[in-house]
Amino acid sequence: MSRLATWLILAATLTFLIGPFLIVIFAGLSAGEALAFPPQGLSLKWYAKVFTVESFRASFALSMFLAVFGTLAALLIGIPAAYALNRYDLPGAETIRTIVAAPIIVPGIIVGLALLRYFVVPLNVTITLALFVTHTALVLPYAVRVVSSSLNNLRADMEEAAVILGCTRLQAFTKVVLPNIRGGILAAFILGFVASFNEVPASLFLSGPGVRTLPIDMLSYMEITFDPSVAALSALLAFMSVAIVFLAERLLGFSRYV
Amino acid sequence: MSDAFVSLAGLTLSYGETVAVPDLDLDIAEGELIALLGPSGCGKTTTMRAIAGLLTPARGRIVIDGEDVTRTPANKRGIGLVFQSYALFPHLSAFENVAFGLRLRKRPEAEIRARAEAGMATVGLTGFEGRRPAEMSGGQQQRLALARSLVMEPKVLLLDEPLSNLDARLRLDMRNELQRVQKDTGITMVFVTHDQSEALALADRIVLMKDGRIEQSGPPAELYAEPATRFAADFMGFENIFGVEGPDLVSETGRLPLGYPTDSPILAWRPDGVAVGAGPHSGRVTASSFAGGHREYVIDCPLGRIKANAPIDTAEVPLGRDIAFDLPQATARPLAA
């Protein structure tokens, strides 16, 4: 293949990957009133407006809450689950692994519909609780898989050594296993956080009056108001994700775990 | 029985439905250095894990220092175990690895410091306190694992294949180290190995195991010179083992007249015990190699392959030529069937 063709393919790939991101950043910088690209003039007013929209503030808080606590809950379930799958010769362990991975494979729109029809409506649970449960379930596969892969690298005889030196099984877990899979847990947290924060399809079904996650709120905002503030907000969220992953990579070599 | 420090009585060990060790009896005296020797799958590691408390026996009793510990969990048994992989804690410094058990016992900080430092000094690791295990060589890691066990002052120290992960020179160092530690502390040691030379060099007594049973047990010199069974002889380097039928030695491939009477059903010779250059038998040389102090021949004869060592000052018999040999009565080891 010629040099020129190589460069063209590289350029096309980068355009598709980074292009939309750049368009959104610049669309948000527009001085005009409607969402458009290229932007009509330049100003920061839409970036400023984002922070004044009441519903954005509320939905950002909800999304943050779901991303942080949903992921923590997923880890609380996922770490012991990964440990059990890894250390004990459970009957049907393969099946359990497949089921745990299901939320990644099953389309979110089906998960959302099923939860709405058979969980929220019949049990009359609040939307916030339903969202919390959903996000926990959606993040769980990441927690189990990432923690599993760091457990794989940890020899089981290390725990036996700890027990012989006087640890109970639980102490062996907290004093030897946990410190050695700390990196994997942090990686799982970041991955889960980002996945939860960006989740759309399932959350689409689980919105109520004044209770929406940020991406859903942005969708409905756009249906009514077609100004560049949504582009500005999208750019800000993209920067937040990039910053988190960048920090994670610098601090703990994130890419080792995913 | 009464003077046994560690006593295994009627010990039956199984993994699920598979019985690894059926009905084992073994007494170990205080301060003894025992080798559990055998091929993989013979139950030696399983037995060691049971003594450590990592495996609960299906039946039988384990008594250590007069106390029945059969149901005592591993973390309350007061046993040390040096793992084959060392199983050091990678997130802790060398010092903290050694101090780990003492901290669990909530000893005062000054005592922890003193005992951990003394422990590291015992194995020659003073100055390595701040290192992580990953920053240490294999030999240093092993000594660290040894120190981590020794500072707990265990009643019994178990070692799983202690020399197998080390190169030849480190093996010798470690062997001397283990013997010195054992002599200095007087601790009872049980180590597991598949290598008969390790067992011969290190142990006070060798317990040779096969299929979960004790095949033979005794001092190294005794096992080396007087193996009782075909299995024991094979393990101790008797490479020429043949059945006796009437006046002949027999094998699957043929027979050879023995030339002298014997009551044993099986006779065995080491390669050193076979005389070459003269004798009533003859065979073809199919392999010949120089081994420093002697020359190793493989001789093809009606019995199959005979392995023989010839003194280095005798003329080499080339490959493919016939060579005379003898299977002398003096070096024949009679074995039970």
Side-chain angles (χ1 to χ4, degrees):
Chain A
M1 197 158 52
S2 74
R3 271 179 86 84
L4 183 68
T6 316
W7 280 108
L8 277 175
I9 290 172
L10 185 64
T13 310
L14 286 176
T15 307
F16 279 113
L17 283 176
I18 302 176
F21 185 42
L22 293 177
I23 289 174
V24 164
I25 293 173
F26 287 111
L29 283 169
S30 172
E33 294 301 312
L35 185 55
F37 187 84
Q40 300 141 331
L42 284 178
S43 100
L44 280 172
K45 68 175 177 182
W46 299 111
Y47 279 88
K49 193 201 167 189
V50 164
F51 296 94
T52 67
V53 178
E54 188 58 42
S55 80
F56 284 166
R57 288 179 16 196
S59 57
F60 178 80
L62 176 65
S63 276
M64 267 299 190
F65 167 82
L66 291 174
V68 172
F69 291 99
T71 305
L72 285 179
L75 283 171
L76 221 54
I77 303 166
I79 293 170
Y83 183 81
L85 285 170
N86 198 279
R87 287 288 191 266
Y88 302 104
D89 196 13
L90 300 174
E94 239 1 89
T95 317
I96 297 172
R97 272 194 200 99
T98 311
I99 294 173
V100 166
I104 294 181
I105 300 156
V106 176
I109 202 147
I110 295 174
V111 177
L113 179 63
L115 280 167
L116 181 67
R117 175 67 185 78
Y118 298 105
F119 177 60
V120 180
V121 175
L123 296 181
N124 201 20
V125 295
T126 64
I127 292 292
T128 313
L129 178 61
L131 278 168
F132 177 76
V133 171
T134 307
H135 280 240
T136 302
L138 289 173
V139 167
L140 190 58
Y142 299 102
V144 173
R145 298 184 75 134
V146 176
V147 173
S148 277
S149 77
S150 37
L151 277 171
N152 273 336
N153 298 326
L154 198 69
R155 297 185 53 110
D157 54 16
M158 226 181 270
E159 287 161 70
E160 292 185 338
V163 167
I164 294 216
L165 289 167
C167 280
T168 61
R169 277 275 160 198
L170 185 65
Q171 283 177 316
F173 183 77
T174 56
K175 286 178 188 291
V176 174
V177 178
L178 275 186
N180 284 300
I181 60 168
R182 208 181 43 191
I185 293 173
L186 266 165
F189 180 83
I190 289 160
L191 210 62
F193 179 92
V194 173
S196 164
F197 205 92
N198 295 332
E199 210 286 324
V200 172
S203 308
L204 203 52
F205 287 88
L206 305 169
S207 332
V211 185
R212 292 184 185 127
T213 65
L214 186 56
I216 308 301
D217 197 35
M218 288 163 71
L219 267 176
S220 56
Y221 179 89
M222 273 176 68
E223 282 168 7
I224 302 162
T225 326
F226 202 64
D227 69 23
S229 59
V230 170
L233 178 52
S234 302
L236 289 173
L237 292 178
F239 278 123
M240 185 183 82
S241 287
V242 169
I244 289 172
V245 173
F246 177 77
L247 272 179
E249 182 61 48
R250 290 302 294 270
L251 294 179
L252 28 106
F254 182 57
S255 48
R256 272 187 300 150
Y257 299 99
V258 248
Chain B
M1 179 71 212
S2 54
D3 64 342
F5 186 67
V6 179
S7 174
L8 313 180
L11 202 63
T12 301
L13 306 168
S14 51
Y15 294 104
E17 296 292 299
T18 320
V19 177
V21 175
D23 197 23
L24 184 87
D25 293 301
L26 178 64
D27 284 350
I28 300 168
E30 185 160 17
E32 208 176 3
L33 208 175
I34 290 263
L36 297 181
L37 174 68
S40 66
C42 74
K44 58 188 192 298
T45 304
T46 309
T47 304
M48 187 197 68
R49 289 175 64 82
I51 299 174
L54 294 171
L55 184 72
T56 309
R59 273 196 307 281
R61 293 203 315 150
I62 301 173
V63 177
I64 297 173
D65 197 11
E67 190 189 343
D68 188 331
V69 297
T70 315
R71 303 284 152 197
T72 308
N75 58 342
K76 305 231 184 312
R77 228 174 245 207
I79 301 283
L81 173 52
V82 177
F83 288 80
Q84 185 177 8
S85 65
Y86 317 141
L88 295 165
F89 306 133
H91 64 296
L92 296 177
S93 65
F95 178 85
E96 286 303 327
N97 265 278
V98 177
F100 187 87
L102 300 169
R103 290 205 188 284
L104 282 170
R105 285 192 192 164
K106 306 216 187 314
R107 309 306 304 168
E109 183 62 32
E111 184 193 326
I112 292 173
R113 188 146 289 281
R115 280 174 67 179
E117 275 169 5
M120 294 196 65
T122 305
V123 296
L125 283 178
T126 301
F128 286 88
E129 287 83 357
R131 295 269 189 104
R132 290 291 172 96
E135 299 162 350
M136 302 171 82
S137 72
Q140 289 166 346
Q141 289 185 24
Q142 172 135 47
R143 281 184 280 147
L144 184 61
L146 184 62
R148 185 177 68 175
S149 291
L150 285 174
V151 291
M152 302 303 289
E153 294 169 0
K155 289 177 183 156
V156 181
L157 182 63
L158 308 170
L159 302 114
D160 190 5
E161 301 275 0
L163 307 179
S164 68
N165 284 349
L166 302 174
D167 63 38
R169 206 176 59 81
L170 280 174
R171 260 166 197 260
L172 195 65
D173 288 352
M174 196 64 206
R175 213 168 69 190
N176 296 339
E177 183 94 6
L178 285 174
Q179 277 172 327
R180 185 181 59 76
V181 164
Q182 207 260 345
K183 197 160 155 282
D184 290 354
T185 59
I187 193 171
T188 307
M189 282 195 198
V190 178
F191 75 101
V192 155
T193 180
H194 64 275
D195 182 341
Q196 113 274 15
S197 64
E198 250 178 65
L200 290 169
L202 198 51
D204 297 332
R205 179 156 64 103
I206 295 175
V207 175
L208 179 65
M209 294 183 69
K210 180 196 178 193
D211 300 333
R213 294 170 206 278
I214 296 176
E215 183 81 1
Q216 190 173 355
S217 152
E222 186 184 306
L223 249 83
Y224 186 79
E226 298 162 16
T229 63
R230 181 186 274 266
F231 177 82
D234 191 33
F235 223 85
M236 289 295 147
F238 286 81
E239 294 189 68
N240 308 297
I241 306 178
F242 304 107
V244 179
E245 255 181 43
D248 294 340
L249 288 174
V250 292
S251 74
E252 284 164 10
T253 57
R255 51 178 62 222
L256 204 65
L258 180 59
Y260 46 84
T262 176
D263 333 326
S264 308
I266 302 172
L267 289 177
W269 291 264
R270 294 180 184 285
D272 285 327
V274 180
V276 289
H281 314 301
S282 130
R284 179 156 300 172
V285 174
T286 57
S288 161
S289 60
F290 177 67
H294 61 269
R295 182 171 295 283
E296 295 177 356
Y297 285 114
V298 177
I299 303 167
D300 206 23
C301 77
L303 284 173
R305 285 156 20 125
I306 300 273
K307 289 196 178 168
N309 291 350
I312 206 64
D313 52 6
T314 55
E316 185 187 355
V317 178
L319 285 181
R321 291 282 184 77
D322 282 351
I323 189 170
F325 68 92
D326 189 14
L327 297 168
Q329 189 165 20
T331 55
R333 172 66 198 160
L335 303 173

